Amino acid sequence: MADYQWREKIRNVERSTKEKSQVPERAKSLGFGCFTIGMLLVVLLFAFISFGLLSQNYWIAGGFSLIFTIGLAFISIQLLRADKLQ
């Protein structure tokens, strides 16, 4: 009996993965756009923080912040490029 229930669960999972996504393309595009704008705002925030730290001669904290900013900017650029490929 347990084997039958397990097989039924597997069939339900297979059936649900074959169905098309219920999220419209416009909603996906809008969500990705909002995420991208948010990421760019975070990059700008950390860029200002790193500039402020470096101008106040906090070299280590400014350097770490600058490295973090460059990493986030690189990730944002890669996300934008990957979205345009699809």
Side-chain angles (χ1 to χ4, degrees):
M1 188 69 165
D3 187 42
Y4 175 74
Q5 291 174 348
W6 181 76
R7 287 183 185 183
E8 190 63 32
K9 287 181 183 179
I10 295 294
R11 283 190 196 112
N12 287 338
V13 169
E14 287 176 354
R15 203 174 317 127
S16 66
T17 56
K18 289 180 183 176
E19 293 176 3
K20 191 175 180 178
S21 176
Q22 301 298 324
V23 180
E25 284 298 319
R26 183 173 175 174
K28 289 179 188 178
S29 176
L30 184 63
F32 186 76
C34 290
F35 176 75
T36 305
I37 290 171
M39 277 290 276
L40 292 175
L41 288 174
V42 169
V43 167
L44 286 174
L45 173 73
F46 277 104
F48 283 123
I49 289 173
S50 62
F51 177 73
L53 287 171
L54 289 172
S55 67
Q56 294 294 322
N57 294 329
Y58 293 111
W59 301 108
I60 295 174
F64 283 134
S65 179
L66 187 63
I67 290 170
F68 188 70
T69 302
I70 291 170
L72 280 178
F74 178 75
I75 290 170
S76 299
I77 291 169
Q78 293 299 321
L79 282 173
L80 286 172
R81 289 179 60 208
D83 184 50
K84 290 180 181 178
L85 293 176
Q86 291 180 351

